[in-house]
Amino acid sequence: MGKIFYLMGKSASGKDTIYKRLLEDCPQLGRIVLYTTRPRREGETDGVEYYFTTSGTLAQFEQENKLIEKRVYHTVAGEWSYATVDDGQIDLSANSCLTIGTLESYEKIRNYFGSEAIVPLYVFVDDGERLARALARERQQAQPNYAELCRRFLADEQDFAGERLERLGVERIFVNDDLERCVEEIKISIQRNDFML
């Protein structure tokens, strides 16, 4: 039986870069592409980073009992939803897979599939470095949204509080102060936990 390797971390912790590297370096892992109603950022491709969709489509998935989990964020730019959908991407009898998300979505997916089917991979970066990275990324956008950057940064403090991580059994922390080392450490953890490799 395969595993779901669940990559998570606060905003600007480098998890998107690590996710892409892991998919390149571990081609045997399937991937779970999330759905979102948020606007596409510069350089993002539909079906790669996310499936960019509408609230109506997510409601349709919910009616069809295909919605595994959904989170709604009240941002300064409006309401944005993120969701994991049971659309055929996840087949643990065939392979293990990699996905990316928040601690909240990790908990819901763990409840859906069972704790034995999911391995948390928590990426950590010092708050000062995260803020500098987030600011640099936002400046590259055609229309920077600094208010949303601040909202996300502050929300992460609550979302990834130490007691929440502990309650959900997220014990292994991968410090991303050196990207190459961090990626290698995560790959080793995946190999140790994946019986299908």
Side-chain angles (χ1 to χ4, degrees):
M1 197 68 168
K3 301 272 188 189
I4 297 171
F5 293 98
Y6 199 93
L7 189 67
M8 65 184 121
K10 295 177 181 177
S11 59
S13 61
K15 61 188 179 296
D16 291 323
T17 300
I18 292 169
Y19 177 72
K20 289 175 185 172
R21 282 285 304 278
L22 291 172
L23 288 174
E24 289 172 10
D25 294 354
C26 307
Q28 72 279 10
L29 291 176
R31 58 192 273 267
I32 304 169
V33 180
L34 303 179
Y35 289 74
T36 186
T37 61
R38 82 151 166 78
R40 196 180 318 185
R41 290 182 186 145
E42 299 281 328
E44 289 182 326
T45 304
D46 187 44
V48 176
E49 288 82 10
Y50 294 96
Y51 289 116
F52 295 94
T53 191
T54 65
S55 296
T57 301
L58 293 182
Q60 180 71 32
F61 284 134
E62 191 164 18
Q63 282 184 333
E64 297 169 356
N65 292 319
K66 292 182 176 180
L67 202 64
I68 296 172
E69 63 87 24
K70 180 176 109 174
R71 292 152 282 128
V72 179
Y73 298 100
H74 304 283
T75 76
V76 295
E79 205 170 79
W80 295 348
S81 297
Y82 292 80
T84 307
V85 177
D86 194 352
D87 61 357
Q89 295 182 71
I90 305 167
D91 181 1
L92 298 181
S93 67
N95 66 340
S96 291
C97 53
L98 179 69
T99 193
I100 186 171
T102 66
L103 189 60
E104 178 187 354
S105 61
Y106 163 76
E107 181 176 17
K108 291 176 181 177
I109 290 174
R110 188 185 76 160
N111 292 343
Y112 188 88
F113 288 100
S115 59
E116 67 285 345
I118 191 163
V119 177
L121 305 169
Y122 178 57
V123 177
F124 174 84
V125 171
D126 169 75
D127 284 346
E129 178 62 24
R130 281 193 321 106
L131 189 55
R133 290 178 184 183
L135 187 57
R137 179 177 70 189
E138 201 61 34
R139 284 181 172 146
Q140 294 175 354
Q141 300 300 308
Q143 295 180 339
N145 189 340
Y146 299 114
E148 176 57 19
L149 179 156
C150 292
R151 184 205 64 79
R152 279 195 321 264
F153 189 84
L154 294 173
D156 280 344
E157 290 306 303
Q158 291 180 332
D159 293 346
F160 287 95
E163 59 273 5
R164 291 191 72 203
L165 291 167
E166 187 177 326
R167 179 177 60 81
L168 293 171
V170 179
E171 299 169 353
R172 181 76 163 96
I173 297 172
F174 299 91
V175 178
N176 186 17
D177 56 5
D178 178 313
L179 178 64
E180 297 304 319
R181 181 184 46 75
C182 186
V183 169
E184 286 305 312
E185 288 178 357
I186 293 173
K187 282 165 50 178
I188 289 167
S189 182
I190 288 171
Q191 290 168 352
R192 286 184 181 150
N193 284 284
D194 191 351
F195 305 111
M196 297 190 82
L197 289 178

